[in-house]
Amino acid sequence: EKGTYPYYMLKEVDEQPAVMRKISQAYLSQQGDCQIDEALLKEMSSSDRIYIIACGTSSHAGWVGKKIIETLANIPVEIHLSSEFGYNMPLLSEKPFFLFLSQSGETADSRQVLVKINELTYPSLTITNVAGSTLSREATYTLLLHAGPEIAVASTKAYTAQIAVLAVLAKALGQQKNRLVAKEFNLVHELGLIATSMESVISEKELIQQLVTAYLTDTRNAFYIGRGVDYYVSMEAALKLKEISYIQAEGFAAGELKHGTIALIEEGTPVLGIITDEITGSHTRGNLKEVESRGAHTLVIASEGLARPTDQLILPNVHPLLSALLSVVPTQLIAYYATLQRGYDVDKPRNLAKSVTVE
Ligand code: F6R
């Protein structure tokens, strides 16, 4: 039930701190042990490559997961869109492991891949929000998101839950492989910090609404840019904005803009930069300068440690591996308020259904 909330989406955005705590409780002990099926960990950590198969927002969570798994567990990860993989299968490694990311567990494009993978007798894991869903029943293993039902068509808490569960899995795999970096990663503490930091971002709704009015009123298009994990979040931020507000939005690797797309920048084009990564932050700033000098209206979302006084939205500092969990929250709210402002139904965007059960 949405209670006093005008839309499910806003309720689900607000639930994210609680979901982070729930995942921590469900999967982690205070000592930092991960409660994950030993057989799954064994099978996964002995594979030579993990193939993440997903669509839409779930695939964007996969990109962030790739970074976390490669860092903590030292296993190469590839991300594939289900609808592409189905007909255009890449050359596989010797010992592949398949990881299906699906909020609903019912997405037809992903299921089609799982059927093939099962025929080939490769091991698989589904990470899903729905116990007993098709993808869960048909995969070798399942991990649940514990996000509670997600009703709004635009996925919010499932995205952050997917990243959090992938972080648990990455830590567990790294520990299984006796990696110091995984053992020292205090995920109970970091997820707790993420939860309180999310609360502080969520309490800035008024500011975010004002920024939407200042930057997105009457615009037909917008860009999100970033590098590394900030690029992955940019893709998700742009998808959220376009699917509910109908503003044509693109998420771009900040350095790639100048290789063509910068031609679209005109006087007043909104370009939103995400800066949470120490190594690439100054480069993204350089790219923001480039578009500004061509007339772009730039808005910066930066973590505290990297922020400048002129930045419009400052995020509390969190662990760099988990920064997506926090930086995505203001972009969800930006999409929400841009949609409200335009008078569209936030929860039921046109042409879309909650779970896509056709190919
Ligand atoms: C966007 C959105 C979709 C889904 C995609 C996959 O907000 O919700 O892009 O992420 O249709 O759905 P699942 O995760 O259920 O397989």
Side-chain angles (χ1 to χ4, degrees):
E1 246 325 295
K2 65 179 189 245
T4 55
Y5 281 94
Y7 287 104
Y8 280 106
M9 182 184 176
L10 194 62
K11 174 172 180 269
E12 291 162 4
V13 167
D14 278 6
E15 281 170 354
Q16 292 176 109
V19 173
M20 294 299 107
R21 294 185 178 111
K22 183 92 193 281
I23 288 169
S24 190
Q25 280 160 12
Y27 286 112
L28 298 165
S29 75
Q30 280 305 322
Q31 291 71 41
D33 301 318
C34 307
Q35 271 111 51
I36 291 191
D37 186 348
E38 281 294 322
L40 164 62
L41 292 179
K42 247 181 150 172
E43 192 141 24
M44 256 187 123
S45 60
S46 69
S47 81
D48 62 1
R49 191 166 292 250
I50 295 167
Y51 293 80
I52 292 184
I53 311 288
C55 311
T57 288
S58 294
S59 77
H60 297 155
W63 280 101
V64 179
K66 166 183 166 73
K67 178 84 190 173
I68 306 174
I69 294 170
E70 290 185 344
T71 304
L72 297 183
N74 200 36
I75 306 170
V77 179
E78 287 182 21
I79 315 293
H80 292 273
L81 296 172
S82 314
S83 56
E84 279 298 305
F85 193 99
Y87 297 103
N88 194 17
M89 196 142 126
L91 185 62
L92 298 178
S93 67
E94 220 143 275
K95 280 199 81 189
F97 186 97
F98 287 85
L99 199 172
F100 290 82
L101 282 179
S102 176
Q103 186 284 131
S104 63
E106 299 297 341
T107 302
D109 286 327
S110 301
R111 170 152 197 262
Q112 185 198 37
V113 178
L114 180 53
V115 167
K116 238 178 225 166
I117 288 321
N118 282 340
E119 277 166 17
L120 296 168
T121 69
Y122 290 128
S124 58
L125 160 68
T126 292
I127 299 183
T128 180
N129 205 23
V130 184
S133 56
T134 307
L135 287 169
S136 160
R137 281 186 276 110
E138 296 181 358
T140 325
Y141 304 96
T142 297
L143 291 175
L144 292 175
L145 293 178
H146 298 292
E150 191 181 63
I151 311 289
V153 164
S155 182
T156 54
K157 62 177 178 174
Y159 171 84
T160 45
Q162 280 170 337
I163 293 171
V165 171
L166 285 166
V168 172
L169 180 63
K171 178 175 163 65
L173 288 169
Q175 287 182 170
Q176 167 96 8
K177 294 176 76 178
N178 223 359
R179 283 173 57 78
L180 197 61
V181 47
K183 287 190 210 160
E184 285 179 346
F185 186 53
N186 187 345
L187 194 50
V188 174
H189 169 77
E190 301 301 347
L191 283 178
L193 191 62
I194 291 284
T196 50
S197 305
M198 281 174 162
E199 281 162 353
S200 105
V201 172
I202 285 168
S203 73
E204 299 281 0
K205 289 195 179 95
E206 219 164 290
L207 168 63
I208 293 171
Q209 194 163 11
Q210 284 163 9
L211 290 170
V212 165
T213 306
Y215 285 84
L216 296 175
T217 301
D218 294 334
T219 190
R220 287 188 54 235
N221 59 356
F223 293 91
Y224 271 100
I225 64 170
R227 291 174 183 240
V229 169
D230 296 333
Y231 163 45
Y232 306 150
V233 174
S234 293
M235 295 194 281
E236 171 55 12
L239 175 60
K240 214 87 313 171
L241 184 60
K242 71 183 130 189
E243 78 168 317
I244 59 175
S245 78
Y246 315 144
I247 294 171
Q248 179 159 24
E250 271 191 85
F252 248 85
E256 186 63 13
L257 217 55
K258 61 181 173 296
H259 296 287
T261 309
I262 200 166
L264 290 171
I265 303 295
E266 303 174 4
E267 198 55 46
T269 304
V271 178
L272 294 82
I274 301 178
I275 297 178
T276 71
D277 181 66
E278 196 163 15
I279 298 160
T280 61
S282 61
H283 299 277
T284 299
R285 288 209 187 266
N287 301 126
L288 284 165
K289 277 270 158 297
E290 283 162 12
V291 293
E292 229 169 59
S293 70
R294 288 158 178 88
H297 207 182
T298 61
L299 185 159
V300 179
I301 302 171
S303 50
E304 216 172 332
L306 302 173
R308 305 246 173 105
T310 48
D311 293 347
Q312 289 81 353
L313 266 172
I314 317 258
L315 308 169
N317 288 328
V318 294
H319 194 288
L321 267 187
L322 300 179
S323 70
L325 288 173
L326 189 60
S327 59
V328 77
V329 176
T331 74
Q332 296 166 340
L333 289 167
I334 286 170
Y336 176 81
Y337 286 114
T339 308
L340 265 198
Q341 195 202 36
R342 279 156 202 249
Y344 299 124
D345 184 336
V346 173
D347 286 341
K348 293 199 189 71
R350 67 189 177 208
N351 308 339
L352 289 167
K354 183 62 184 164
S355 54
V356 186
T357 52
V358 291
E359 195 202 314

